[in-house]
């Protein structure tokens, strides 16, 4: 498989999906609730329909897993599976808060190999293909070189973390919650954040950002330090189960895992 060529196609699809989001942005939305706090708008649906149609046209034998419509097949019938979040940060988007993204990741035998996260508000395109490095708008990016947990370092959290692990959060006086797991992973990949963590994301939130992070020199695992990837075909993540993760610049990973576990003792 030609990963760089696949990446170019994916980048174009993500950009067009971002254009769809921007045509709806700032307008009154038809907001529906999938569950308490989990909203969907007509823009989510339009973006996912476009992405799925394009991916199935370009890669007809690949399975597609989308946030709004689930798996395109009744089961994984290919070694390749696209995991797409057509609008990561829907709550921000619905309230006209300009932090959201399109996230598209390709998994091969459960391992992320191609990833694109597009921030249409700032026209920032984060891309990576396995073995070919990570870029932002075509320029190489890499994680920062911080070697110790510092209260001055930026670290990404979700609102769920406020209730789940206060001890870990207390180590970071400058914690940030962007409302988009994909963009927070890219913030680590680009060296802006030391790390980021969440206990309730889904596969489509992290598939694209995971390969971008890895190619930028970072590391992602469960908060306990166990590998997330490769995912087996029967992983509940393909059925929309939550995927807890901890992502760092790599150097800080063991220290962050140990710190995360202190509250569990």
């Amino acid at each position: 498989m030609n990963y760089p060529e696949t990446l170019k196609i994916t980048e174009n699809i993500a950009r067009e999906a971002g254009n769809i989001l921007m045509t709806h942005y700032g307008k009154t939305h038809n907001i529906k609730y999938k569950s308490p706090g989990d909203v969907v708008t007509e823009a989510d649906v339009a973006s996912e329909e476009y992405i799925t149609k394009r991916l199935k046209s370009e890669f007809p034998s690949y399975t597609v897993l989308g946030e709004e419509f689930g798996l395109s097949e009744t089961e994984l019938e290919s070694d390749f599976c696209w995991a797409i979040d057509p609008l990561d940060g829907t709550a921000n988007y619905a309230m006209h808060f300009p932090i959201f993204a399109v996230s598209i990741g390709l998994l091969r035998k459960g391992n992320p190999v191609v990833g694109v996260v597009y921030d249409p508000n700032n026209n920032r395109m984060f891309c990576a293909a396995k073995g070919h490095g990570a870029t932002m708008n075509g320029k190489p990016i890499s994680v920062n070189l911080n070697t110790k947990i510092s209260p001055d370092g930026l670290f990404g959290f979700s609102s769920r973390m406020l209730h789940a692990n206060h001890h870990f959060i207390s180590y970071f006086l400058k914690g940030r919650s962007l409302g988009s797991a994909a963009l927070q992973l890219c913030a680590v990949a680009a060296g802006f954040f030391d790390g980021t963590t969440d206990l309730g994301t889904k596969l489509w939130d992290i598939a694209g950002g995971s390969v971008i992070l890895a190619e930028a020199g970072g590391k992602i695992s469960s908060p306990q330090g166990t590998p997330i990837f490769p995912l087996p075909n029967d992983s509940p993540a393909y059925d929309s189960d939550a995927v807890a993760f901890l992502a760092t610049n790599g150097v800080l990973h063991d220290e962050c895992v140990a710190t995360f576990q202190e509250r569990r003792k």
Side-chain angles (χ1 to χ4, degrees):
M1 179 185 182
N2 188 327
Y3 291 148
E5 184 60 33
T6 299
L7 180 61
K8 289 180 183 178
I9 295 170
T10 310
E11 181 179 344
N12 289 335
I13 293 172
R15 191 177 298 279
E16 288 303 315
N19 290 340
I20 291 172
L21 297 183
M22 295 309 293
T23 62
H24 291 272
Y25 183 59
K27 300 177 181 179
T28 301
H29 299 294
N30 179 21
I31 299 174
K32 298 180 181 179
Y33 288 84
K34 296 183 284 187
S35 62
D38 190 5
V39 300
V40 61
T41 71
E42 72 283 358
D44 297 75
V45 174
S47 176
E48 184 162 325
E49 287 178 340
Y50 172 79
I51 295 170
T52 301
K53 181 179 179 180
R54 285 290 310 278
L55 290 176
K56 293 301 286 185
S57 175
E58 296 282 355
F59 308 95
S61 65
Y62 293 11
T63 301
V64 177
L65 171 66
E67 178 174 10
E68 308 309 330
F69 301 117
L71 280 171
S72 60
E73 316 293 342
T74 55
E75 60 184 19
L76 293 178
E77 298 178 349
S78 166
D79 286 343
F80 295 94
C81 179
W82 293 101
I84 59 177
D85 191 337
L87 173 47
D88 188 35
T90 302
N92 290 347
Y93 182 90
M95 297 305 296
H96 308 162
F97 184 54
I99 298 179
F100 52 86
V102 176
S103 178
I104 306 176
L106 177 63
L107 291 88
R108 182 179 189 180
K109 296 183 178 180
N111 280 306
V113 293
V114 170
V116 171
V117 175
Y118 180 49
D119 168 6
N121 268 292
N122 297 295
N123 192 30
R124 293 192 303 179
M125 182 72 73
F126 297 92
C127 296
K130 185 177 181 180
H132 294 272
T135 62
M136 181 178 71
N137 290 349
K139 297 181 179 180
I141 56 173
S142 62
V143 296
N144 66 42
L145 301 177
N146 294 342
T147 59
K148 294 289 292 182
I149 290 178
S150 167
D152 296 324
L154 299 184
F155 207 98
F157 299 100
S158 73
S159 58
R160 284 177 286 264
M161 291 295 296
L162 297 176
H163 305 286
N165 204 321
H166 289 281
H167 175 80
F168 187 67
I169 292 173
S170 69
Y171 278 80
F172 304 94
L173 300 182
K174 298 186 182 297
R176 296 290 185 269
S177 181
L178 302 182
S180 165
L183 286 177
Q184 290 187 183
L185 283 169
C186 290
V188 182
F192 306 142
F193 286 12
D194 289 347
T196 184
T197 184
D198 196 340
L199 302 180
T201 51
K202 303 297 177 68
L203 178 57
W204 49 72
D205 294 313
I206 65 171
S210 292
V211 64
I212 295 169
L213 175 69
E215 288 296 313
K219 184 174 181 178
I220 187 169
S221 72
S222 75
Q224 294 73 37
T226 56
I228 295 174
F229 304 108
L231 290 173
N233 280 2
D234 60 353
S235 169
Y238 291 113
D239 289 324
S240 304
D241 276 22
V243 180
F245 77 89
L246 172 66
T248 71
N249 65 359
V251 180
L252 290 172
H253 207 79
D254 289 346
E255 184 181 4
C256 285
V257 168
T259 303
F260 197 101
Q261 295 307 304
E262 287 180 12
R263 183 172 180 263
R264 303 300 185 189
K265 294 179 180 179

